[in-house]
Amino acid sequence: MAQTTDNGERVTTKTYDEANNTQSKIIAGTSLPDLVGGFGTNVTFKDFELSAMFAYSIGGQIYDRDKSYILNQSSAGRAMSVELLDRWTPENRYTDVPRAQTTSTNWTSTSTRFLYSGSYMRLKNISLSYNIPRSVLQNLYLANCRVYIQGENLFTVFGAEGIDPEQTVSGLSYMRYPNVKSVSFGINVSF
């Protein structure tokens, strides 16, 4: 870890609290993506119809505040992440998880170690439907009948585990529910 002295010189320290001072802070990026968009398709074959809609974001960063909370060792009796088993020790020097110490509980302070690329692509919606032919519907006195299955948020490509890439403009994740995956079936009927 490095800290900045009063004259601007960066020096190495073994104490996280010394490295985590105001002078050592840097701007590590922005939460705003470079490009946001979506694309879709709609394919019809005979009485079948398949439609899909994708959303994507390229660039920007997300700070995983939930992960820093899970890794915090300050509360007795609270379960901790297995990632703590990879903490710094004299035998395990090449890790981004600081050493556990009883003199400080700030070892999960704000750090680029919890910063992830915000780039992702998500299948927002997919639907497969079948329109029952009018020749069949005439005997049932129906004008139209459509049977469908639809899914939402079924597939996401994202580089970080455990957080939803669709965050607020601030780029902070903190106890937010992710977009729910859902599958539904239905029938649309008109007389």
Side-chain angles (χ1 to χ4, degrees), residues 89-104:
T89 63
E91 297 79 29
N92 186 30
R93 299 182 310 153
Y94 303 103
T95 179
D96 68 344
V97 183
R99 72 179 179 180
Q101 53 187 343
T102 58
T103 58
S104 172

Side-chain angles (χ1 to χ4, degrees), residues 39-53:
F39 59 93
T41 186
N42 192 358
V43 179
T44 303
F45 178 73
K46 295 189 178 184
D47 292 323
F48 289 93
E49 184 177 342
L50 175 68
S51 63
M53 182 178 68

